[in-house]
């Protein structure tokens, strides 16, 4: 009670518009308001009559404004304008309770005081609470829109901007979230500001120069009292330090000091009362607006929950609905007719405006279903087109003509569906969906065409690959002077055949001439690139091919028989011929010659590498060939020179082996010493020879020694042991020497005891075998492996063993025990 007594509630302006200057002065003295300087704030509340303005102020600021007694009926409670001190709020805050608008006590047309009091509140208050019911959002009169429009217009003409804060307090908040309600209020205020006529000084002044707009919401005081009080307590906190930066009134301007507040308020009210230009709308328009809007909302709600509409909407979700436009038109016409009947007695302008709003909302409600139906029609038409086109293409009836026929048929079906979906109340345009369907059909046609063409191109490319790859590779393997001419001829023949067949196949697609030419040229380019690719592959292996060519020419004669180096061959000439063949291969692979342009690559290579002609500058000291474009160069001159050096180094061993084989053959077939040695032996050994003639025992001894040596020579197969090298031969002979001697002694002993051992034709076989070995002396450079013409001989206790890779024979000589007779 003490707090309520400190609020000093005072009537500032009575119901007749008289300003209570004495009461205001008393209020300022009692509350010590005059000493506050600029540290104060004024909060006013506006709103419809009996909307709970006084109740809100009393709970919010702990004031004692008179409240309506609900049990006595709804009537005017506050008359004029009352003010009170907000208890417990810092800084000093004055609450201003305005008479409610739209009251029956003042009548339908007496709205002047409402506008004047509203303008007065906006002129002196820092914060204006606009009290409104949640269900009034979007309305004209109940939301104070006409009032605010007039007040805004007059205020700009009478007063300078002072940045008043408009705090919309939404009462009895419903389930609709605040974030959905706030944009509507802000948009309405902005629209009001945009349409009011402004003086030249404020023609381009934005709303933010005059007002800050804030929105809050409160629960129902009667139904949710505790929740209402909690929310009001939270809102009360926002009024503490309200004039500080960031506070509710932190942006206010032109503040009058507290000592001059009384005089300033009286002058403002005087100006407002004397103004004769206030254009206030009649109450009849307000009633028409509210009632027509209620009727329109009621019809829209019924339409939203209409069973036929909901059934139709659900049916559209799953697919096309036959007769959609006829059914929907009938539903809409029912509710529009009911609105016209119920609103016929209200103001015509308001009635027509609200009907347009109803139509707009109703069409907005049903339009998604219409678009959904068009989507189903488009999807069905597209799927029908795809299936029909696929079926026709399977039958092999071309491509372009079937595609045109299917397109025309499907588009006609879609147009019929759109006509069936149209409603009488709207002229909705289905052209965008139709264009999208046409684009989808064209895209599918293009996709199928591209797929078919890709398959066709791939098939012909594979055909070209099969007809060119192996033949071109074979021509490169047997490279000669006419290699590139043969390749050009092969390429031209196969390419033109493929292009001719390909041109016939793609003609059924009705492609434009540039596209056809491009595809045909692409096929030609593929064939050419295939040959170039093969050429590059072979050029990358040129050193291997050169060595193979050299080996083939060097190791085989003109009849392609392997050479046997007997000593009669001219290795130098053969080597030169082999190198010429390899160099010709290098010249062929040095550049791509698909354009029949002459070049001097072969002459340059032969003169520089074979003939050894030295010119200045060196023609091979370059990275390009004369008369050959860089893109056609496979092996540069510098690379050719390097490859030739490497080639000669890697084939030198083959030539050396051939020379060594030739020398070995000569030595193996010449057992006599040189003639000078024979002459020296005759001259120097004449005395010994005469001694042998005088003593036949020496001859007998030498003959026996020769026989024993010959036997050991054959038994140990001395030539065969040395064919794998001198060191290996010495080791093998030394390991066999003692067993051979023991074997001979054993036989002599057996002969002495009278046993006769059958002697196999050892010497004859050995001599024949040795002759075969001499004739089949391995060729180091021959392509026949050495193992294929070599045999091994070994001696065991049971006899002599002969072995070869293809045949193994073992001949054993056993000595039967027999008595000599």
């Amino acid at each position: 009670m003490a707090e309520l007594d400190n609020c000093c509630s005072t009537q500032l302006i009575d119901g007749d518009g008289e300003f209570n200057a004495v009461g205001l002065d008393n209020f300022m003295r009692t509350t010590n308001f005059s000493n506050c300087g600029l540290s104060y704030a004024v909060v006013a509340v506006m709103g419809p009559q009996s909307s709970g303005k006084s109740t809100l102020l009393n709970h919010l600021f702990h004031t004692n404004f008179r409240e309506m007694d609900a049990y006595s009926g709804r009537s005017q409670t506050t008359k004029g304008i009352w003010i009170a001190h907000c208890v417990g709020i810092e800084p000093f805050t004055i609450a201003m309770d305005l008479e409610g608008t739209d009251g029956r006590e003042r009548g339908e047309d007496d709205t002047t005081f409402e506008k004047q009091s509203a303008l007065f509140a906006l002129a002196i208050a820092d914060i204006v609470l606009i009290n409104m019911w949640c269900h009034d959002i979007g309305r004209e009169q109940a939301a104070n829109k006409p009032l605010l429009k007039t007040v805004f217009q007059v205020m700009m003409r009478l007063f300078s901007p002072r940045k008043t804060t408009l705090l919309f307090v939404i009462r009895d908040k419903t389930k609709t979230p605040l974030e959905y309600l706030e944009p509507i209020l802000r948009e309405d205020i902005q629209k009001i500001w945009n349409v009011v006529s402004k003086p030249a000084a404020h023609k381009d002044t934005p709303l933010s120069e005059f007002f800050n707009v804030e929105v809050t919401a409160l629960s129902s005081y009667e139904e949710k009292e505790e929740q209402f009080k909690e929310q009001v307590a939270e809102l009360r906190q926002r009024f503490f330090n309200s004039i500080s930066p960031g506070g509710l009134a932190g942006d206010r301007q032109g503040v009058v000091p507290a000592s001059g507040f009384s005089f300033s308020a009286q002058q403002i009210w005087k100006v407002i009362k004397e103004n004769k230009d206030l254009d206030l709308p009649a109450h009849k328009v307000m009633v028409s607006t509210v009632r027509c809007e209620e009727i329109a909302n009621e019809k829209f709600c019924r339409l939203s929950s209409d069973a036929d509409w909901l059934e139709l909407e659900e049916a559209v979700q799953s697919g096309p609905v036959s007769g959609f436009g006829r059914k929907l038109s009938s539903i809409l016409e029912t509710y529009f007719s009911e609105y016209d009947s119920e609103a016929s007695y209200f103001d015509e302008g308001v009635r027509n405006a609200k009907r347009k709003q109803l139509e707009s909302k109703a069409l907005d409600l049903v339009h998604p279903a219409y678009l959904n139906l068009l989507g189903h029609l488009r999807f069905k038409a597209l799927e029908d087109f795809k299936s029909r086109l696929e079926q026709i293409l399977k039958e092999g009836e071309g491509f372009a003509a079937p595609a045109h026929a299917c397109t025309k048929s499907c588009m006609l079906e879609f147009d019929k569906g759109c006509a069936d979906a149209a409603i009488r109340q709207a002229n909705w345009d289905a052209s965008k969906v139709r264009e999208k369907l046409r684009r989808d059909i064209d895209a599918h046609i293009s996709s199928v065409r591209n797929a078919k063409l890709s398959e066709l191109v791939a098939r012909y490319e594979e055909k070209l690959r099969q007809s060119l790859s192996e033949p071109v590779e074979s021509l490169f393997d047997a490279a000669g002077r006419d290699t590139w001419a043969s390749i050009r001829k092969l390429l031209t023949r196969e390419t033109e055949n493929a292009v001719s067949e390909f041109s016939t196949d793609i003609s059924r697609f009705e492609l434009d001439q540039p596209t056809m030419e491009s595809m045909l040229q692409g096929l030609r380019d593929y064939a050419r690139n295939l040959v170039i690719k093969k050429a590059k592959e072979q050029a990358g292996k040129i050193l291997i091919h050169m060595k193979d060519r050299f080996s083939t020419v060097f190791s085989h004669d003109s009849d392609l028989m392997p050479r046997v180096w007997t000593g009669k061959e001219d290795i130098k000439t053969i080597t030169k011929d082999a190198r010429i063949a390899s160099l010709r291969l290098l010249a062929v692979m040095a550049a791509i010659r698909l354009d029949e342009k002459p070049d001097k690559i072969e002459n340059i290579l032969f003169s520089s590498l074979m003939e050894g002609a030295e010119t200045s500058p060196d023609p091979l000291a370059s990275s390009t060939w004369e008369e050959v474009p860089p893109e056609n160069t496979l092996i540069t001159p510098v690379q050719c020179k390097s490859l030739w050096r490497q080639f000669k180094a890697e084939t030198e061993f083959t030539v050396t082996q051939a020379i060594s084989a030739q020398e070995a053959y000569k030595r193996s077939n010449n057992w006599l010493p040189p003639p000078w040695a024979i002459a020296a032996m005759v001259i120097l050994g004449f005395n010994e020879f005469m001694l042998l003639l005088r003593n036949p025992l020496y001859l007998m001894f030498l003959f026996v020694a020769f026989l024993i040596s010959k036997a050991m020579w054959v038994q140990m197969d001395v030539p065969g042991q040395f064919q794998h090298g001198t060191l290996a031969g010495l080791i093998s002979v030394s390991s066999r020497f003692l067993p051979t001697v023991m074997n001979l002694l054993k036989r002599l002993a057996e002969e002495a005891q009278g046993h006769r051992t059958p002697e196999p034709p050892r010497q004859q076989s050995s001599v024949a075998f040795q002759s075969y070995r001499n004739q089949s002396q391995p060729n180091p450079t021959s392509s026949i492996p050495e193992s294929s013409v070599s045999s091994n001989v070994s001696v065991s206790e049971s006899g002599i063993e002969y072995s070869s890779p293809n045949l193994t024979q073992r001949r054993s000589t056993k000595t039967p025990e027999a008595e000599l007779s």
Side-chain angles (χ1 to χ4, degrees):
M1 294 299 296
E3 288 184 352
L4 296 178
D5 292 338
N6 292 333
C7 68
C8 296
S9 177
T10 303
Q11 187 178 35
L12 183 63
I13 300 174
D14 61 17
D16 296 329
E18 296 297 327
F19 192 91
N20 184 10
V22 176
L24 178 58
D25 293 338
N26 182 59
F27 171 83
M28 295 181 66
R29 286 193 304 271
T30 304
T31 59
N32 201 25
F33 172 52
S34 302
N35 299 325
C36 291
L38 299 178
S39 182
Y40 72 95
V42 179
V43 180
V45 63
M46 306 171 45
Q49 179 176 298
S50 302
S51 61
K53 301 186 301 299
S54 301
T55 302
L56 173 62
L57 293 179
N58 291 339
H59 283 84
L60 187 60
F61 300 118
H62 300 171
T63 55
N64 60 353
F65 294 119
R66 181 186 174 191
E67 298 179 9
M68 183 189 70
D69 186 1
Y71 295 99
S72 300
R74 304 183 68 85
S75 60
Q76 187 179 47
T77 303
T78 303
K79 295 182 179 181
I81 300 175
W82 289 72
I83 62 173
H85 173 222
C86 299
V87 179
I89 301 293
E90 291 295 336
F92 189 97
T93 303
I94 297 175
M96 183 182 299
D97 189 10
L98 275 66
E99 179 179 319
T101 60
D102 194 18
R104 66 181 179 84
E105 286 78 8
R106 289 191 179 272
E108 178 178 351
D109 297 323
D110 188 10
T111 58
T112 302
F113 183 82
E114 296 177 3
K115 283 35 175 202
Q116 291 174 343
S117 60
L119 183 58
F120 177 77
L122 290 173
I124 68 171
D126 302 305
I127 304 169
V128 177
L129 304 180
I130 300 179
N131 195 58
M132 60 187 303
W133 301 110
C134 183
H135 57 262
D136 287 337
I137 295 177
R139 296 178 176 178
E140 288 290 330
Q141 299 295 339
N144 296 290
K145 291 182 182 178
L147 175 63
L148 289 176
K149 179 178 178 181
T150 303
V151 169
F152 285 174
Q153 182 174 347
V154 177
M155 184 176 180
M156 282 188 295
R157 183 159 50 87
L158 299 179
F159 307 104
S160 300
R162 62 185 310 275
K163 219 44 174 315
T164 303
T165 297
L166 299 180
L167 177 57
F168 286 82
V169 181
I170 302 174
R171 302 292 295 276
D172 293 2
K173 184 175 74 69
T174 62
K175 294 181 180 180
T176 304
L178 180 62
E179 54 266 28
Y180 291 163
L181 300 174
E182 182 175 351
I184 298 175
L185 288 174
R186 291 184 179 274
E187 183 180 358
D188 291 342
I189 297 301
Q190 186 62 48
K191 286 181 179 179
I192 294 173
W193 182 262
N194 292 338
V195 299
V196 298
S197 59
K198 306 178 182 67
H202 300 298
K203 185 176 182 180
D204 298 325
T205 303
L207 174 67
S208 57
E209 290 290 327
F210 279 83
F211 302 102
N212 290 325
V213 179
E214 299 286 342
V215 181
T216 188
L218 300 176
S219 300
S220 173
Y221 174 68
E222 295 180 356
E223 297 176 2
K224 301 177 181 179
E225 182 176 355
E226 293 300 323
Q227 187 174 356
F228 171 85
K229 292 180 178 180
E230 291 177 1
Q231 293 171 351
V232 168
E234 293 178 2
L235 179 61
R236 174 181 171 85
Q237 298 300 318
R238 300 185 64 182
F239 291 88
F240 285 86
N241 301 317
S242 59
I243 62 175
S244 300
L248 285 175
D251 295 335
R252 64 178 184 169
Q253 303 171 8
V255 182
V256 177
S259 58
F261 178 83
S262 177
F263 177 79
S264 175
Q266 293 180 56
Q267 293 299 315
I268 291 175
W269 180 249
K270 180 179 179 182
V271 171
I272 291 175
K273 284 204 66 176
E274 293 177 355
N275 180 56
K276 305 299 182 181
D277 299 329
L278 294 179
D279 184 13
L280 304 178
H283 184 68
K284 180 175 63 176
V285 175
M286 179 195 71
V287 174
S288 299
T289 301
V290 173
R291 184 58 188 144
C292 289
E293 185 168 359
E294 289 178 352
I295 297 173
N297 289 337
E298 187 264 339
K299 300 306 175 187
F300 179 77
C301 291
R302 286 182 56 194
L303 171 63
S304 302
S305 58
D306 185 271
D308 293 337
W309 155 244
L310 294 177
E311 181 181 355
L312 188 63
E313 183 182 32
E314 184 178 358
V316 170
Q317 298 294 329
S318 57
V321 177
S322 178
F324 174 85
R326 175 178 51 80
K327 296 176 182 177
L328 183 57
S329 297
S330 176
I331 295 172
L332 293 175
E333 186 62 30
T334 298
Y335 291 102
F336 291 161
S337 299
E338 291 179 1
Y339 171 85
D340 292 338
S341 177
E342 295 181 22
S344 60
Y345 298 104
F346 294 100
D347 182 80
E348 181 180 3
V350 175
R351 181 178 70 242
N352 293 336
K354 295 303 177 182
R355 191 186 196 280
K356 289 182 179 179
Q357 292 180 10
L358 174 61
E359 290 178 355
S360 178
K361 291 174 64 176
L363 294 179
D364 289 343
L365 175 67
V366 301
H367 191 249
Y370 172 77
L371 294 179
N372 199 3
L373 177 61
L374 293 185
H376 289 305
L377 294 174
R378 181 186 65 81
F379 179 78
K380 182 177 182 299
L382 181 60
E383 292 302 313
D384 290 344
F385 171 81
K386 291 180 180 179
S387 60
R388 293 178 189 176
L389 181 62
E390 182 179 2
Q391 184 64 30
I392 293 177
L393 293 180
K394 286 182 179 179
E395 298 173 359
E397 298 184 7
F399 182 84
H404 293 328
C406 291
T407 300
K408 184 177 180 181
S409 174
C410 292
M411 293 303 297
L412 182 60
E413 291 181 5
F414 177 79
D415 291 339
K416 291 180 179 179
C418 290
D420 181 68
I423 63 174
R424 297 190 302 270
Q425 290 80 6
N427 187 23
W428 287 330
D429 187 9
S431 60
K432 291 185 178 180
V433 181
R434 191 180 193 278
E435 291 174 3
K436 188 177 188 311
L437 172 61
R438 188 56 187 259
R439 289 196 302 269
D440 292 341
I441 290 177
D442 292 341
H444 183 70
I445 292 175
S446 178
S447 175
V448 174
R449 181 193 297 115
N450 292 338
K452 295 292 183 182
L453 290 175
S454 297
E455 293 176 2
L456 203 60
V457 170
R459 186 165 72 246
Y460 278 94
E461 286 181 351
E462 177 62 20
K463 183 177 179 181
L464 281 173
R465 189 188 66 80
Q466 294 179 356
S467 61
L468 288 176
S469 293
E470 293 184 0
V472 168
E473 189 171 347
S474 177
L475 289 172
F476 280 132
D477 288 341
R481 294 181 182 276
D482 59 345
T483 297
W484 282 106
S486 301
I487 291 175
R488 288 194 295 269
K489 183 177 179 181
L490 174 67
L491 176 62
T492 301
R493 182 180 71 250
E494 297 297 333
T495 302
E496 291 307 318
N497 289 340
V499 167
S500 177
E501 296 177 8
F502 183 68
S503 178
T504 302
D505 287 341
I506 65 175
S507 60
R508 60 191 178 94
F509 290 92
E510 293 186 2
L511 301 175
D512 56 274
Q513 192 63 27
T515 303
M516 288 188 62
E517 291 297 332
S518 175
M519 296 186 70
L520 295 177
Q521 185 60 39
L523 196 61
R524 295 188 182 96
D525 293 341
Y526 175 81
R528 183 183 179 92
N529 292 335
L530 187 64
V531 174
I532 293 174
K533 181 180 178 181
K534 281 294 178 184
K536 290 181 178 180
E537 290 178 0
Q538 297 300 315
K541 300 182 289 186
I542 185 60
L543 183 60
I544 298 174
H545 293 317
M546 289 173 65
K547 291 192 293 183
D548 290 344
R549 178 67 62 86
F550 178 86
S551 178
T552 301
V553 176
F554 186 80
S555 302
H556 297 78
D557 57 17
S558 59
D559 297 327
L560 298 180
M561 296 298 293
R563 295 185 190 273
V564 179
W565 303 105
T566 62
K568 299 178 181 179
E569 296 80 15
D570 186 355
I571 293 181
K572 182 176 181 181
T573 301
I574 295 173
T575 302
K576 183 176 181 181
D577 293 341
R579 288 179 176 175
I580 289 174
S582 300
L583 189 59
R584 184 168 288 114
L585 177 60
L586 179 61
V588 170
M589 300 304 304
I592 299 171
R593 301 175 177 89
L594 294 178
D595 300 325
E596 293 190 74
K597 293 182 179 180
D599 59 71
K600 302 177 182 178
I601 294 178
E602 184 173 349
N603 295 336
I604 293 174
L605 290 177
F606 271 81
S607 62
S608 300
L609 301 179
M610 287 299 299
E611 299 174 4
E614 296 185 2
T615 58
S616 182
D618 185 358
L620 296 182
S622 173
S623 60
T624 57
W625 299 102
E626 294 183 5
E627 302 176 353
V628 177
E631 61 271 13
N632 289 343
T633 300
L634 295 176
I635 306 174
T636 64
V638 174
Q639 292 174 337
C640 287
K641 191 172 183 180
S642 175
L643 284 170
W644 185 253
R645 283 198 302 267
Q646 186 176 356
F647 163 76
K648 290 181 66 177
E650 295 185 10
T651 57
E652 194 70 31
F653 179 70
T654 302
V655 179
T656 304
Q657 276 190 322
I659 295 173
S660 300
Q662 205 175 54
E663 293 296 330
Y665 185 86
K666 290 179 180 180
R667 288 194 301 269
S668 65
N669 288 276
N670 188 10
W671 293 91
L672 294 176
W676 62 268
I678 296 174
M681 290 171 60
V682 171
I683 296 171
L684 296 177
F686 181 75
N687 293 333
E688 287 75 6
F689 178 72
M690 293 304 296
L691 179 62
L692 291 175
L693 290 178
R694 294 190 188 100
N695 193 348
L697 292 176
Y698 287 150
L699 291 175
M700 183 64 68
F701 176 77
L702 290 176
F703 180 72
V704 172
F706 171 75
L707 291 178
I708 295 173
S709 300
K710 183 65 175 178
M712 293 183 64
W713 182 275
V714 174
Q715 288 286 338
M716 291 188 295
D717 188 21
V718 175
Q721 303 307 318
F722 278 89
Q723 71 176 0
H724 298 295
T726 303
L727 180 60
L730 291 174
I731 295 174
S732 179
V733 169
S734 63
S735 64
R736 294 184 178 206
F737 179 77
L738 185 58
T740 304
V741 172
M742 296 299 294
N743 191 24
L744 290 175
L745 292 177
K746 181 179 179 181
R747 291 182 181 180
L748 290 175
E750 290 175 352
E751 291 290 339
Q753 293 176 4
H755 300 286
R756 184 176 180 181
T757 303
E759 185 70 22
R762 182 182 306 146
Q763 183 174 358
Q764 183 178 357
S765 299
S766 177
V767 172
F769 178 73
Q770 181 66 24
S771 174
Y772 171 77
R773 285 176 55 82
N774 292 337
Q775 293 178 2
S776 304
Q777 195 68 247
N779 182 8
T781 61
S782 175
S783 61
I784 302 177
E786 183 179 352
S787 62
S788 64
V789 295
S790 63
S791 301
N792 294 325
V793 181
S794 62
V795 180
S796 64
E797 294 181 357
S798 60
I800 304 174
E801 296 178 1
Y802 300 88
S803 64
S804 66
N806 301 322
L807 178 63
T808 302
Q809 290 182 340
R810 180 168 180 170
R811 297 181 182 179
S812 302
T813 304
K814 295 185 179 180
T815 307
E817 294 184 1
E819 294 182 356
L820 297 174
S821 58

